[in-house]
Amino acid sequence: MKLSARVEYGVRAMSVLALHDRSGPLSLREISRSEDISFQFLEQIFLDLRRAGLVSSVRGARGGYYLSHPPERINVGDIVRALEGPITPVNCLAHSDGKESRCHRSEACRTRHVWEKLRDRINEVLDSVSLDELIGPKPDRLVKQAGS
Amino acid sequence: MKLSARVEYGVRAMSVLALHDRSGPLSLREISRSEDISFQFLEQIFLDLRRAGLVSSVRGARGGYYLSHPPERINVGDIVRALEGPITPVNCLAHSDGKESRCHRSEACRTRHVWEKLRDRINEVLDSVSLDELIGPKPDRLVKQAGS
DNA sequence: CTATATCCGACTAATCCACTCGGGATTATA
DNA sequence: TATAATCCCGAGTGGATTAGTCGGATATAG
């Protein structure tokens, strides 16, 4: 029940982009340094993030990446799914071809329901956190909830 | 974000034990056959389940395993944790020594909160399903909810 | 033209996982 | 008592996955 380093790095890197939103592209070299993540590994990760439409790139000198959408519209679930594919706690839940792939063992479906529930809850949690929230409470929000 | 085959097999095997609750020990050979799981692999799994106190064993001929507690008091979370250890979606959440292991990167804790939330929700879901419920709705329960 | 970037397929090393092996200990039953 | 059935257990193995690297192509600012 672990997420990959790709996801952990991806989320951290994306949170950096969120912090610098609307201030031009940020190069992977910088993110790599500030977050202490292998530059070449980050490259692989960002290829997938771009293909998923979460970030956009500017090539060439002074290029880099920036968020394709405002931080409040990108959530952790998007990043996880972009980097690991759909969340399937057990193999029998993976339906690569779009069909409802029933396990060949009919009675195996005794347990199917739990795994579906688990999958849905995981997605809910991940989808409930936006980059916006990730980079910390905004000042006004802080005032509101931590009034005393 | 996957569970191991150990867990999948373990839950299925435990559900078989639940079905035969209070009718003497069930041998791994039988479970192995009925659930089509490698016998020797099942042995490994049940060693851990026993060490976790979820099942008890009877050695020797006509021996086997039985649930240490009534099915409604054993939940899927118990089984998962017995077979995979504590649930830690990312490494920085693992505190092997009992201390609060902060990531050495202080700002990494920007993301820590999400992973903690995720971990807690996963545990909640897994803990909310007992073996009892897993082996299917009891007749009377079925009547109640599927009245029409 | 050069330096700085992204882009990308292929490769490698390490780790993990599913499963096996070979035996030892225990006990019902013939 | 002999035998077979069963749990017990440390150690190994082969394949898959993952984390990370490499080499080079392409694009662009200055």
Side-chain angles (χ1 to χ4, degrees):
Chain A
M1 218 60 217
K2 278 233 191 336
L3 290 163
S4 59
R6 283 171 63 82
V7 163
E8 195 185 331
Y9 295 166
V11 172
R12 273 165 55 194
M14 288 291 276
S15 78
V16 175
L17 283 194
L19 280 172
H20 294 82
D21 193 39
R22 299 276 160 198
S23 63
L26 216 57
S27 79
L28 289 190
R29 197 71 71 175
E30 288 179 75
I31 300 178
S32 157
R33 265 195 288 267
S34 80
E35 286 289 317
D36 195 33
I37 299 171
S38 152
F39 164 70
Q40 296 191 312
F41 195 24
L42 254 195
E43 276 193 309
Q44 302 306 316
I45 293 168
F46 269 78
L47 285 186
D48 283 340
L49 291 174
R50 182 178 55 81
R51 287 176 187 133
L54 299 182
V55 297
S56 305
S57 62
V58 176
R59 301 184 67 170
R62 313 258 307 177
Y65 288 93
Y66 58 93
L67 299 181
S68 297
H69 311 285
E72 64 269 21
R73 294 205 30 226
I74 300 177
N75 59 49
V76 176
D78 296 329
I79 302 173
V80 173
R81 286 184 296 270
L83 296 178
E84 291 199 338
I87 286 164
T88 54
V90 301
N91 291 330
C92 96
L93 244 52
H95 47 293
S96 48
D97 44 15
K99 301 171 186 174
E100 263 292 314
S101 76
R102 292 237 153 254
C103 332
H104 56 290
R105 308 187 63 265
S106 61
E107 70 275 276
C109 293
R110 251 206 311 271
T111 66
R112 189 186 180 90
H113 177 254
V114 200
W115 310 133
E116 285 174 344
K117 191 171 161 189
L118 176 60
R119 176 199 58 197
D120 294 345
R121 286 299 168 286
I122 292 174
N123 276 302
E124 279 175 16
V125 174
L126 296 177
D127 286 342
S128 76
V129 181
S130 66
L131 284 181
D132 198 30
E133 298 168 72
L134 206 59
I135 62 181
K138 295 270 179 55
D140 54 355
R141 202 182 296 156
L142 217 165
V143 167
K144 272 182 194 165
Q145 69 180 34
S148 77
Chain B
M1 218 58 217
K2 277 232 192 334
L3 289 163
S4 59
R6 282 171 63 82
V7 163
E8 194 185 331
Y9 295 166
V11 172
R12 271 164 57 194
M14 289 290 276
S15 77
V16 174
L17 284 192
L19 280 172
H20 294 82
D21 194 37
R22 299 274 160 200
S23 61
L26 217 56
S27 80
L28 288 189
R29 198 69 72 174
E30 288 179 75
I31 300 178
S32 158
R33 265 195 289 268
S34 80
E35 287 289 316
D36 195 32
I37 298 171
S38 152
F39 164 70
Q40 296 190 313
F41 195 24
L42 254 195
E43 276 193 308
Q44 303 305 316
I45 293 169
F46 269 78
L47 286 187
D48 284 340
L49 291 175
R50 182 178 57 81
R51 287 177 188 134
L54 299 182
V55 297
S56 305
S57 62
V58 177
R59 301 183 69 169
R62 312 257 310 178
Y65 288 93
Y66 58 95
L67 299 180
S68 296
H69 311 286
E72 64 268 21
R73 293 204 31 225
I74 300 177
N75 59 49
V76 176
D78 295 329
I79 303 174
V80 173
R81 286 184 296 270
L83 297 177
E84 290 199 340
I87 287 163
T88 54
V90 303
N91 290 330
C92 95
L93 243 53
H95 46 292
S96 47
D97 45 14
K99 300 172 187 174
E100 262 293 313
S101 76
R102 293 240 151 250
C103 334
H104 55 290
R105 309 187 62 266
S106 61
E107 71 274 275
C109 293
R110 252 206 310 271
T111 67
R112 189 187 179 89
H113 177 253
V114 200
W115 310 132
E116 284 174 344
K117 191 171 161 189
L118 177 60
R119 176 198 58 196
D120 294 344
R121 287 298 170 286
I122 292 174
N123 275 303
E124 279 176 25
V125 174
L126 296 178
D127 285 342
S128 76
V129 181
S130 66
L131 283 182
D132 199 28
E133 297 169 74
L134 206 59
I135 61 181
K138 295 273 178 55
D140 54 354
R141 202 183 295 155
L142 216 167
V143 167
K144 273 182 192 164
Q145 69 179 34
S148 75

